[in-house]
Amino acid sequence: MLIVDLEPPVRTRTSALSINTPPEIPQVLDQYKPASAISKRTIRLLKSEITHINFEQSRRDLIGSSMMETVHFLTDTEGGRMMGKSFSPLPHLVVCCHGLEGASNDLRLVRIFLQQALPKSDLHFLMADSYMEDTYRHIGDMGHLLAEEIANTLLCSPKSYFRISFIGHSLGCLVIRAALKSRLLDPYRELFYTFLSLSGPHLGMLYSSSYLVNGGLWLMQRLKQGKSLLQIGMKDHSDLKQCFIYKLSKGDQLHNFKNLVFVSSHQDKYVPFHSTRIEMCNEAKKDYGYNGQVYREMLQNIMLPVIQNSNCNVVRYSVQYALEHGSASSMIGRAAHIACLDSEVFLNKFFSVMGWKFFV
Protein backbone atom coordinates (compact mmCIF):
# COMPACT_ATOMS: atom_id res chain seq x y z
CA MET A 1 0.00 0.00 0.00
CA LEU A 2 1.17 3.53 -0.74
CA ILE A 3 1.03 6.69 1.30
CA VAL A 4 1.64 9.77 -0.82
CA ASP A 5 2.09 13.34 0.36
CA LEU A 6 2.34 15.88 -2.44
CA GLU A 7 3.91 19.27 -1.88
CA PRO A 8 3.16 22.21 -4.17
CA PRO A 9 5.53 22.57 -7.11
CA VAL A 10 8.55 24.81 -6.76
CA ARG A 11 9.05 26.84 -9.94
CA THR A 12 11.87 29.04 -11.08
CA ARG A 13 11.06 32.50 -12.39
CA THR A 14 11.43 31.42 -16.01
CA SER A 15 9.96 27.97 -15.51
CA ALA A 16 7.48 26.53 -17.94
CA LEU A 17 7.64 23.13 -16.30
CA SER A 18 4.45 21.12 -16.44
CA ILE A 19 4.00 18.47 -13.76
CA ASN A 20 1.40 15.76 -14.13
CA THR A 21 0.78 13.33 -11.32
CA PRO A 22 1.05 9.75 -12.60
CA PRO A 23 -2.44 8.42 -13.47
CA GLU A 24 -2.19 5.57 -10.98
CA ILE A 25 -1.92 7.84 -7.93
CA PRO A 26 -5.37 9.56 -7.83
CA GLN A 27 -7.13 6.20 -8.14
CA VAL A 28 -5.88 5.09 -4.75
CA LEU A 29 -5.67 8.34 -2.77
CA ASP A 30 -8.75 7.57 -0.67
CA GLN A 31 -7.32 4.19 0.35
CA TYR A 32 -4.12 5.46 1.96
CA LYS A 33 -3.26 4.71 5.57
CA PRO A 34 -1.47 7.12 7.90
CA ALA A 35 2.31 7.03 8.02
CA SER A 36 2.20 5.51 11.52
CA ALA A 37 1.18 2.22 9.93
CA ILE A 38 4.60 1.75 8.36
CA SER A 39 6.39 -1.42 9.47
CA LYS A 40 9.79 -1.04 11.14
CA ARG A 41 11.08 -3.80 8.87
CA THR A 42 10.55 -1.73 5.75
CA ILE A 43 12.40 1.19 4.30
CA ARG A 44 11.49 4.24 6.32
CA LEU A 45 11.06 6.67 3.50
CA LEU A 46 11.37 6.98 -0.22
CA LYS A 47 11.28 10.46 -1.66
CA SER A 48 10.83 10.74 -5.35
CA GLU A 49 11.03 13.75 -7.58
CA ILE A 50 8.94 12.70 -10.55
CA THR A 51 9.51 14.97 -13.50
CA HIS A 52 6.89 14.68 -16.24
CA ILE A 53 8.42 17.16 -18.61
CA ASN A 54 6.62 19.64 -20.79
CA PHE A 55 9.00 19.63 -23.73
CA GLU A 56 8.37 23.29 -24.52
CA GLN A 57 10.45 24.19 -21.45
CA SER A 58 13.84 25.83 -21.57
CA ARG A 59 17.06 23.97 -20.86
CA ARG A 60 17.28 25.66 -17.48
CA ASP A 61 13.91 24.38 -16.30
CA LEU A 62 15.00 20.74 -16.34
CA ILE A 63 17.71 21.50 -13.81
CA GLY A 64 15.42 22.94 -11.14
CA SER A 65 13.30 21.03 -8.65
CA SER A 66 9.66 20.65 -9.53
CA MET A 67 7.47 18.55 -7.28
CA MET A 68 8.33 16.40 -4.31
CA GLU A 69 6.43 13.17 -3.83
CA THR A 70 6.94 11.36 -0.53
CA VAL A 71 6.16 7.67 -0.72
CA HIS A 72 6.07 5.17 2.16
CA PHE A 73 6.01 1.43 1.52
CA LEU A 74 4.19 -1.04 3.76
CA THR A 75 5.07 -4.71 4.20
CA ASP A 76 2.06 -6.11 2.36
CA THR A 77 1.89 -6.42 -1.42
CA GLU A 78 -1.36 -4.56 -1.86
CA GLY A 79 0.46 -1.71 -3.60
CA GLY A 80 1.09 -3.76 -6.70
CA ARG A 81 -2.46 -5.14 -6.78
CA MET A 82 -4.02 -1.71 -6.29
CA MET A 83 -2.20 -0.28 -9.27
CA GLY A 84 -3.89 -2.76 -11.60
CA LYS A 85 -0.82 -4.11 -13.35
CA SER A 86 -0.77 -4.70 -17.06
CA PHE A 87 1.43 -7.29 -18.71
CA SER A 88 3.23 -7.37 -22.02
CA PRO A 89 3.29 -10.69 -23.91
CA LEU A 90 6.04 -9.38 -26.22
CA PRO A 91 9.60 -10.67 -25.66
CA HIS A 92 11.56 -8.08 -23.68
CA LEU A 93 15.33 -8.31 -23.17
CA VAL A 94 16.65 -6.75 -19.94
CA VAL A 95 20.43 -6.23 -19.82
CA CYS A 96 21.85 -6.10 -16.27
CA CYS A 97 25.31 -4.56 -15.74
CA HIS A 98 27.39 -4.74 -12.55
CA GLY A 99 29.74 -2.14 -11.13
CA LEU A 100 33.37 -1.93 -10.03
CA GLU A 101 34.85 -5.29 -8.96
CA GLY A 102 31.41 -6.77 -9.54
CA ALA A 103 30.19 -10.01 -11.04
CA SER A 104 27.43 -11.00 -13.45
CA ASN A 105 25.20 -12.24 -10.61
CA ASP A 106 25.37 -8.98 -8.61
CA LEU A 107 21.96 -7.96 -9.95
CA ARG A 108 20.34 -11.36 -9.35
CA LEU A 109 17.93 -9.94 -6.74
CA VAL A 110 16.95 -7.18 -9.16
CA ARG A 111 16.10 -9.85 -11.70
CA ILE A 112 14.22 -12.00 -9.17
CA PHE A 113 12.01 -9.19 -7.85
CA LEU A 114 11.31 -7.78 -11.30
CA GLN A 115 10.23 -11.23 -12.46
CA GLN A 116 8.16 -11.62 -9.33
CA ALA A 117 6.43 -8.27 -9.95
CA LEU A 118 5.65 -9.19 -13.58
CA PRO A 119 5.18 -12.98 -13.61
CA LYS A 120 3.15 -12.97 -16.83
CA SER A 121 5.45 -10.73 -18.86
CA ASP A 122 7.89 -12.31 -21.31
CA LEU A 123 11.08 -10.95 -19.72
CA HIS A 124 14.49 -12.32 -20.66
CA PHE A 125 17.64 -11.29 -18.80
CA LEU A 126 21.21 -10.89 -19.99
CA MET A 127 23.45 -10.78 -16.92
CA ALA A 128 26.46 -9.14 -18.54
CA ASP A 129 29.82 -10.80 -17.90
CA SER A 130 31.89 -9.59 -20.85
CA TYR A 131 33.85 -6.99 -18.83
CA MET A 132 33.75 -8.79 -15.49
CA GLU A 133 37.39 -9.93 -15.47
CA ASP A 134 38.81 -6.41 -15.25
CA THR A 135 36.64 -3.47 -14.21
CA TYR A 136 39.68 -1.20 -13.81
CA ARG A 137 40.28 -0.98 -17.55
CA HIS A 138 39.16 1.89 -19.78
CA ILE A 139 35.37 2.37 -19.54
CA GLY A 140 35.17 2.76 -23.31
CA ASP A 141 36.76 -0.67 -23.76
CA MET A 142 34.26 -2.19 -21.34
CA GLY A 143 31.45 -0.52 -23.25
CA HIS A 144 32.66 -2.06 -26.50
CA LEU A 145 32.78 -5.51 -24.89
CA LEU A 146 29.24 -5.05 -23.59
CA ALA A 147 28.00 -3.91 -27.01
CA GLU A 148 29.51 -7.03 -28.58
CA GLU A 149 27.89 -9.22 -25.93
CA ILE A 150 24.47 -7.67 -26.50
CA ALA A 151 24.76 -7.82 -30.30
CA ASN A 152 25.82 -11.49 -30.19
CA THR A 153 22.95 -12.30 -27.85
CA LEU A 154 20.42 -10.65 -30.16
CA LEU A 155 21.84 -12.29 -33.26
CA CYS A 156 21.99 -15.79 -31.75
CA SER A 157 18.68 -15.68 -29.90
CA PRO A 158 15.80 -17.70 -31.39
CA LYS A 159 13.44 -14.96 -30.16
CA SER A 160 12.76 -11.64 -31.82
CA TYR A 161 12.81 -9.06 -29.07
CA PHE A 162 10.39 -6.15 -29.26
CA ARG A 163 11.95 -4.20 -26.38
CA ILE A 164 15.43 -3.81 -24.89
CA SER A 165 15.93 -2.33 -21.42
CA PHE A 166 19.05 -1.75 -19.33
CA ILE A 167 19.62 -1.86 -15.57
CA GLY A 168 23.00 -0.69 -14.34
CA HIS A 169 24.61 -0.29 -10.96
CA SER A 170 27.33 2.28 -10.25
CA LEU A 171 30.12 1.91 -12.84
CA GLY A 172 27.82 -0.35 -14.85
CA CYS A 173 25.71 2.70 -15.77
CA LEU A 174 28.71 4.32 -17.45
CA VAL A 175 29.57 1.07 -19.22
CA ILE A 176 26.01 0.95 -20.58
CA ARG A 177 26.19 4.53 -21.84
CA ALA A 178 29.52 3.77 -23.50
CA ALA A 179 28.04 0.66 -25.13
CA LEU A 180 25.03 2.63 -26.41
CA LYS A 181 27.39 4.67 -28.62
CA SER A 182 28.62 1.56 -30.43
CA ARG A 183 27.52 1.09 -34.03
CA LEU A 184 26.90 -2.55 -33.18
CA LEU A 185 23.68 -1.45 -31.48
CA ASP A 186 22.50 0.90 -34.24
CA PRO A 187 19.98 -1.65 -35.64
CA TYR A 188 18.32 -1.95 -32.23
CA ARG A 189 17.94 1.68 -31.10
CA GLU A 190 14.23 1.74 -31.90
CA LEU A 191 13.77 -1.11 -29.40
CA PHE A 192 15.30 0.77 -26.44
CA TYR A 193 12.65 1.03 -23.72
CA THR A 194 13.82 1.64 -20.12
CA PHE A 195 17.15 2.65 -18.62
CA LEU A 196 17.16 2.07 -14.86
CA SER A 197 20.17 3.62 -13.16
CA LEU A 198 21.07 2.50 -9.63
CA SER A 199 23.58 4.89 -8.05
CA GLY A 200 25.37 5.62 -11.32
CA PRO A 201 28.10 8.34 -11.37
CA HIS A 202 26.85 9.89 -14.62
CA LEU A 203 28.55 13.26 -14.04
CA GLY A 204 31.66 11.88 -12.38
CA MET A 205 32.86 12.90 -8.95
CA LEU A 206 32.86 16.66 -9.42
CA TYR A 207 31.71 18.42 -6.24
CA SER A 208 31.95 15.24 -4.16
CA SER A 209 31.57 16.18 -0.49
CA SER A 210 33.21 13.07 0.98
CA TYR A 211 36.93 13.56 1.55
CA LEU A 212 37.12 10.00 2.84
CA VAL A 213 35.75 8.58 -0.42
CA ASN A 214 37.95 10.88 -2.51
CA GLY A 215 40.98 9.73 -0.55
CA GLY A 216 39.92 6.11 -0.94
CA LEU A 217 39.57 6.54 -4.72
CA TRP A 218 43.05 8.06 -4.90
CA LEU A 219 44.52 5.17 -2.90
CA MET A 220 42.70 2.53 -4.94
CA GLN A 221 43.88 4.12 -8.15
CA ARG A 222 47.47 4.03 -6.94
CA LEU A 223 47.19 0.39 -5.88
CA LYS A 224 45.22 -0.88 -8.87
CA GLN A 225 46.53 1.51 -11.53
CA GLY A 226 42.96 1.55 -12.79
CA LYS A 227 41.95 3.76 -15.69
CA SER A 228 38.26 3.52 -14.79
CA LEU A 229 38.85 5.11 -11.38
CA LEU A 230 40.72 8.01 -12.99
CA GLN A 231 37.87 8.42 -15.45
CA ILE A 232 35.14 8.39 -12.79
CA GLY A 233 37.04 11.00 -10.80
CA MET A 234 37.70 13.02 -13.99
CA LYS A 235 41.42 12.81 -13.29
CA ASP A 236 42.33 11.11 -16.57
CA HIS A 237 43.33 14.42 -18.20
CA SER A 238 44.46 17.81 -16.99
CA ASP A 239 41.76 19.45 -19.12
CA LEU A 240 38.29 18.46 -17.91
CA LYS A 241 36.89 18.71 -21.45
CA GLN A 242 39.31 15.99 -22.52
CA CYS A 243 38.20 13.65 -19.74
CA PHE A 244 36.25 10.53 -20.65
CA ILE A 245 33.14 11.49 -18.64
CA TYR A 246 32.86 14.79 -20.53
CA LYS A 247 33.37 13.11 -23.90
CA LEU A 248 30.79 10.46 -22.95
CA SER A 249 28.21 13.22 -22.44
CA LYS A 250 28.63 14.39 -26.05
CA GLY A 251 26.43 12.43 -28.40
CA ASP A 252 24.82 10.63 -25.47
CA GLN A 253 22.11 8.11 -26.38
CA LEU A 254 19.82 8.24 -23.32
CA HIS A 255 17.23 10.20 -25.31
CA ASN A 256 16.46 7.04 -27.29
CA PHE A 257 14.71 5.47 -24.28
CA LYS A 258 11.05 5.76 -23.41
CA ASN A 259 11.81 5.74 -19.66
CA LEU A 260 14.84 7.09 -17.79
CA VAL A 261 14.72 6.10 -14.12
CA PHE A 262 17.38 7.29 -11.67
CA VAL A 263 17.56 5.79 -8.16
CA SER A 264 19.78 7.61 -5.66
CA SER A 265 20.23 8.19 -1.94
CA HIS A 266 21.65 10.96 0.22
CA GLN A 267 23.08 8.18 2.40
CA ASP A 268 25.26 7.03 -0.49
CA LYS A 269 28.59 8.82 -0.07
CA TYR A 270 30.39 6.84 -2.77
CA VAL A 271 28.74 8.78 -5.60
CA PRO A 272 27.58 12.43 -5.40
CA PHE A 273 23.79 12.70 -5.19
CA HIS A 274 23.55 15.13 -8.11
CA SER A 275 25.72 12.88 -10.29
CA THR A 276 23.41 9.88 -9.83
CA ARG A 277 20.40 12.00 -10.80
CA ILE A 278 22.00 13.99 -13.65
CA GLU A 279 20.89 17.31 -12.24
CA MET A 280 22.28 20.66 -11.18
CA CYS A 281 23.81 21.04 -7.70
CA ASN A 282 24.26 24.13 -5.56
CA GLU A 283 28.05 23.95 -5.80
CA ALA A 284 27.94 24.06 -9.60
CA LYS A 285 25.42 26.91 -9.55
CA LYS A 286 27.83 29.00 -7.49
CA ASP A 287 30.89 27.99 -9.48
CA TYR A 288 31.49 30.47 -12.30
CA GLY A 289 34.88 28.98 -13.06
CA TYR A 290 35.97 26.30 -15.49
CA ASN A 291 34.71 23.39 -13.36
CA GLY A 292 31.23 24.88 -13.19
CA GLN A 293 31.20 25.50 -16.92
CA VAL A 294 32.23 21.91 -17.66
CA TYR A 295 29.60 20.53 -15.28
CA ARG A 296 26.82 22.59 -16.85
CA GLU A 297 27.89 21.57 -20.34
CA MET A 298 27.85 17.87 -19.41
CA LEU A 299 24.39 18.26 -17.93
CA GLN A 300 23.09 20.00 -21.05
CA ASN A 301 24.80 17.54 -23.40
CA ILE A 302 22.92 14.66 -21.79
CA MET A 303 19.56 16.20 -20.98
CA LEU A 304 18.82 18.54 -23.88
CA PRO A 305 18.24 15.67 -26.35
CA VAL A 306 15.98 14.13 -23.70
CA ILE A 307 13.93 17.34 -23.54
CA GLN A 308 13.60 17.35 -27.30
CA ASN A 309 12.18 13.82 -27.30
CA SER A 310 8.56 14.22 -26.18
CA ASN A 311 8.23 10.43 -25.78
CA CYS A 312 10.94 10.17 -23.14
CA ASN A 313 9.90 10.15 -19.45
CA VAL A 314 12.39 11.14 -16.74
CA VAL A 315 11.81 9.85 -13.21
CA ARG A 316 14.10 10.37 -10.21
CA TYR A 317 13.77 8.47 -6.93
CA SER A 318 15.58 9.43 -3.74
CA VAL A 319 15.68 6.54 -1.28
CA GLN A 320 16.22 6.58 2.49
CA TYR A 321 17.31 3.11 3.58
CA ALA A 322 16.84 1.61 7.04
CA LEU A 323 20.54 0.97 7.68
CA GLU A 324 22.35 -0.24 10.75
CA HIS A 325 23.46 2.83 12.67
CA GLY A 326 27.07 3.16 13.71
CA SER A 327 28.51 0.58 11.33
CA ALA A 328 31.62 1.53 9.39
CA SER A 329 29.92 0.64 6.11
CA SER A 330 27.06 3.03 6.85
CA MET A 331 29.36 5.82 7.99
CA ILE A 332 31.44 5.83 4.81
CA GLY A 333 28.33 5.49 2.62
CA ARG A 334 29.09 2.04 1.21
CA ALA A 335 26.00 0.38 2.75
CA ALA A 336 23.61 2.71 0.92
CA HIS A 337 25.59 2.39 -2.30
CA ILE A 338 25.00 -1.36 -2.48
CA ALA A 339 21.62 -1.45 -0.68
CA CYS A 340 19.85 -1.02 -4.02
CA LEU A 341 21.28 -4.44 -4.94
CA ASP A 342 21.12 -6.47 -1.75
CA SER A 343 18.17 -5.04 0.18
CA GLU A 344 15.32 -7.48 -0.41
CA VAL A 345 12.88 -5.15 1.33
CA PHE A 346 13.71 -2.25 -0.96
CA LEU A 347 13.77 -4.27 -4.17
CA ASN A 348 10.51 -6.04 -3.33
CA LYS A 349 8.65 -2.82 -2.59
CA PHE A 350 10.21 -0.82 -5.40
CA PHE A 351 9.34 -3.26 -8.15
CA SER A 352 6.00 -4.44 -6.76
CA VAL A 353 4.68 -0.92 -6.16
CA MET A 354 6.32 1.39 -8.69
CA GLY A 355 9.23 -0.05 -10.66
CA TRP A 356 7.21 -2.66 -12.55
CA LYS A 357 5.41 -0.08 -14.71
CA PHE A 358 8.65 0.84 -16.50
CA PHE A 359 8.93 -2.69 -17.92
CA VAL A 360 5.44 -3.22 -19.34
Side-chain angles (χ1 to χ4, degrees):
M1 185 172 288
L2 276 159
I3 300 174
V4 181
D5 300 317
L6 295 177
E7 298 178 4
V10 179
R11 300 178 184 269
T12 59
R13 291 182 180 179
T14 60
S15 176
L17 195 62
S18 174
I19 306 299
N20 301 313
T21 305
E24 298 88 351
I25 293 178
Q27 299 173 7
V28 292
L29 280 174
D30 56 347
Q31 303 183 48
Y32 295 153
K33 291 181 180 180
S36 59
I38 300 172
S39 168
K40 295 180 179 180
R41 293 179 59 249
T42 62
I43 304 165
R44 300 296 192 270
L45 179 66
L46 185 148
K47 294 180 180 178
S48 91
E49 281 184 30
I50 300 185
T51 316
H52 295 268
I53 303 170
N54 178 344
F55 295 91
E56 299 298 327
Q57 66 185 11
S58 68
R59 67 182 64 182
R60 183 177 178 182
D61 296 329
L62 185 64
I63 297 172
S65 298
S66 49
M67 178 179 285
M68 293 299 298
E69 178 185 328
T70 303
V71 183
H72 301 272
F73 291 139
L74 303 188
T75 53
D76 56 56
T77 58
E78 291 180 0
R81 293 196 298 269
M82 274 195 307
M83 291 291 195
K85 293 181 182 176
S86 59
F87 301 95
S88 173
L90 302 177
H92 187 164
L93 178 65
V94 181
V95 182
C96 298
C97 299
H98 62 81
L100 189 70
E101 292 190 339
S104 58
N105 65 349
D106 281 1
L107 279 74
R108 64 191 181 280
L109 290 180
V110 173
R111 179 189 64 196
I112 290 171
F113 285 109
L114 180 52
Q115 288 176 318
Q116 179 178 295
L118 296 171
K120 296 182 181 179
S121 290
D122 193 9
L123 297 176
H124 301 263
F125 290 82
L126 171 60
M127 312 302 286
D129 61 4
S130 53
Y131 63 95
M132 183 174 63
E133 292 183 2
D134 182 11
T135 55
Y136 289 98
R137 74 182 85 182
H138 194 287
I139 297 175
D141 294 340
M142 289 188 277
H144 180 70
L145 291 173
L146 176 62
E148 287 185 335
E149 183 179 7
I150 296 170
N152 290 334
T153 299
L154 293 170
L155 287 172
C156 300
S157 174
K159 285 184 173 290
S160 296
Y161 293 104
F162 287 81
R163 289 174 177 172
I164 303 174
S165 293
F166 294 82
I167 303 177
H169 173 248
S170 192
L171 173 66
C173 296
L174 298 180
V175 175
I176 292 172
R177 287 175 54 206
L180 294 177
K181 288 191 169 187
S182 173
R183 292 183 178 180
L184 293 172
L185 300 183
D186 282 349
Y188 311 108
R189 297 198 189 280
E190 292 184 356
L191 305 181
F192 291 171
Y193 192 67
T194 291
F195 178 87
L196 172 56
S197 169
L198 304 172
S199 302
H202 296 283
L203 299 175
M205 299 295 290
L206 282 180
Y207 307 111
S208 172
S209 60
S210 176
Y211 294 103
L212 185 61
V213 171
N214 292 337
L217 282 175
W218 177 85
L219 180 60
M220 286 291 291
Q221 193 279 323
R222 287 299 183 94
L223 293 175
K224 300 288 187 178
Q225 296 297 310
K227 291 183 179 180
S228 62
L229 288 177
L230 284 175
Q231 291 171 329
I232 293 173
M234 299 189 73
K235 304 292 185 183
D236 50 317
H237 199 282
S238 57
D239 183 355
L240 288 178
K241 289 191 178 182
Q242 298 302 318
C243 290
F244 176 80
I245 294 291
Y246 181 86
K247 291 181 178 180
L248 185 64
S249 72
K250 302 183 73 174
D252 196 85
Q253 298 297 312
L254 291 184
H255 63 280
N256 288 313
F257 289 91
K258 179 176 177 59
N259 302 300
L260 296 177
V261 185
F262 303 99
V263 176
S264 55
S265 174
H266 281 291
Q267 296 165 293
D268 179 3
K269 304 302 180 184
Y270 270 29
V271 180
F273 186 72
H274 50 270
S275 184
T276 61
R277 296 161 65 84
I278 315 184
E279 66 179 5
M280 182 58 76
C281 62
N282 290 329
E283 292 82 0
K285 285 181 181 179
K286 300 174 183 177
D287 187 351
Y288 296 99
Y290 191 60
N291 285 12
Q293 175 190 343
V294 169
Y295 185 91
R296 287 187 287 271
E297 287 182 9
M298 289 194 297
L299 181 59
Q300 292 175 3
N301 289 342
I302 297 172
M303 298 308 290
L304 277 181
V306 173
I307 293 174
Q308 294 165 359
N309 180 5
S310 59
N311 295 319
C312 184
N313 303 311
V314 179
V315 185
R316 297 181 176 103
Y317 293 108
S318 176
V319 185
Q320 176 100 10
Y321 300 101
L323 302 174
E324 180 183 353
H325 295 290
S327 68
S329 183
S330 297
M331 292 175 64
I332 65 175
R334 178 181 179 275
H337 187 67
I338 63 174
C340 55
L341 294 184
D342 62 11
S343 171
E344 295 186 17
V345 174
F346 164 70
L347 290 171
N348 181 26
K349 297 308 169 186
F350 176 75
F351 283 114
S352 65
V353 176
M354 305 186 77
W356 63 269
K357 64 185 177 181
F358 302 114
F359 295 90
V360 297

